[in-house]
């Protein structure tokens, strides 16, 4: 099953706004030129909104559509920001693992990884949500679909222009990984520490492969994740 990360911004009513501007056209040459410029800008803005409406979006509002028209340097900066957030998510995953190894099935490390509620303000890395929600997004009515998250956005940033993202190794590894965390949480809710530990160990190689594919250290013990 494919993971879908989507955000639907409100679309403006282009026809109503355009007609209003046209009705107010000044008959002078200057007014005529200003009217053309205003309506051209409106159409351009509408095109951007419409194009972005089906794009994958991260919780901070910057999504894959942000790559369009960007220079290679700015694309790399956007990718770097996603990598920093993923590194923080992995750090929280490691803390969860330490709690599980200690026999815990609840507590702050569980909350910091699994809670779905939005924070009052972003943390130092820019995450508005806890680690798992930041990584894969929040649930939707469709159990196979998650909304938002930067894990898929980072993965798709490695897709070559004109190529389908599903064939990108990072996207493939993300799709194998993103639902695997649920079994850990289910075991925690049952208070089954042994089961939680077993499921945690199953996730580690999947997460490691994803990290390698998005050009981050695949070793979860790397100092970057401490």
């Amino acid at each position: 099953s494919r993971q879908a990360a989507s955000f639907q911004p409100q679309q403006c009513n282009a026809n109503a706004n355009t007609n209003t501007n046209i009705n107010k056209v000044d008959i002078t040459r200057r007014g005529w030129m200003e009217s053309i410029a205003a309506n051209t800008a409106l159409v351009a803005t509408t095109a951007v909104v419409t194009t972005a409406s089906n794009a994958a979006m991260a919780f901070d509002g910057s999504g894959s559509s942000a790559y369009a028209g960007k220079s290679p340097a700015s694309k790399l900066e956007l990718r770097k920001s996603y990598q920093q957030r993923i590194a923080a998510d992995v750090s929280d995953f490691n803390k969860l693992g330490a709690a599980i190894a200690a026999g815990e099935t609840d507590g702050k490390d569980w909350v910091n990884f699994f809670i779905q509620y939005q924070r009052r303000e972003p943390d130092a890395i820019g995450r508005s949500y806890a680690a798992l929600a930041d990584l894969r997004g929040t649930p939707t009515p469709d159990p196979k679909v998650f909304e938002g998250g930067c894990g898929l956005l980072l993965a798709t940033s490695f897709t070559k222009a004109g190529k389908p993202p599903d064939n990108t190794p990072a996207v493939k590894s993300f799709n194998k990984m993103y639902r695997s965390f649920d079994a850990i949480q289910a075991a925690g809710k049952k208070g089954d520490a042994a089961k939680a530990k077993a499921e945690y160990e199953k996730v580690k190689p999947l997460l490691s492969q994803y990290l390698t594919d998005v050009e981050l250290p695949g070793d979860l013990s790397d100092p970057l994740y401490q």
Side-chain angles (χ1 to χ4, degrees), residues 91-136:
S91 176
D92 287 338
F93 179 75
N94 282 339
K95 292 174 183 176
L96 173 66
I100 292 174
E104 299 176 12
T105 55
D106 58 16
K108 66 180 181 65
D109 293 319
W110 282 82
V111 172
N112 287 342
F113 190 80
F114 285 110
I115 192 170
Q116 299 292 322
Y117 297 110
Q118 185 173 4
R119 293 185 169 116
R120 291 183 178 179
E121 58 184 32
D123 65 7
I125 306 299
R127 298 182 301 171
S128 298
Y129 287 76
L132 183 57
D134 184 71
L135 174 63
R136 74 174 182 184

Side-chain angles (χ1 to χ4, degrees), residues 159-180:
T159 301
K160 295 181 180 179
K163 299 294 183 180
D166 286 351
N167 294 331
T168 304
V171 174
K172 289 182 177 180
S173 59
F174 179 87
N175 286 336
K176 290 180 180 178
M177 170 195 69
Y178 79 97
R179 291 298 302 272
S180 63

Side-chain angles (χ1 to χ4, degrees), residues 78-91:
L78 186 57
R79 178 185 292 175
K80 182 179 178 181
S81 71
Y82 290 145
Q83 288 174 323
Q84 289 174 335
R85 286 167 58 176
I86 294 298
D89 297 337
V90 176
S91 176

Side-chain angles (χ1 to χ4, degrees), residues 29-98:
R29 176 177 176 79
R30 180 180 178 183
W32 178 67
M33 293 300 292
E34 289 177 349
S35 176
I36 291 177
N39 283 286
T40 300
L42 173 64
V43 171
T45 301
T46 302
V48 170
V49 172
T50 302
T51 301
S53 64
N54 293 320
M57 303 292 284
F59 287 122
D60 56 9
S62 62
S64 58
S65 60
Y67 289 102
K70 296 286 186 178
S71 67
S74 58
K75 286 183 181 180
L76 289 176
E77 286 300 312
L78 186 57
R79 178 185 292 175
K80 182 179 178 181
S81 71
Y82 290 145
Q83 288 174 323
Q84 289 174 335
R85 286 167 58 176
I86 294 298
D89 297 337
V90 176
S91 176
D92 287 338
F93 179 75
N94 282 339
K95 292 174 183 176
L96 173 66

Side-chain angles (χ1 to χ4, degrees), residues 132-149:
L132 183 57
D134 184 71
L135 174 63
R136 74 174 182 184
T138 56
T140 68
D142 184 342
K144 296 180 180 180
V145 177
F146 289 81
E147 185 175 63

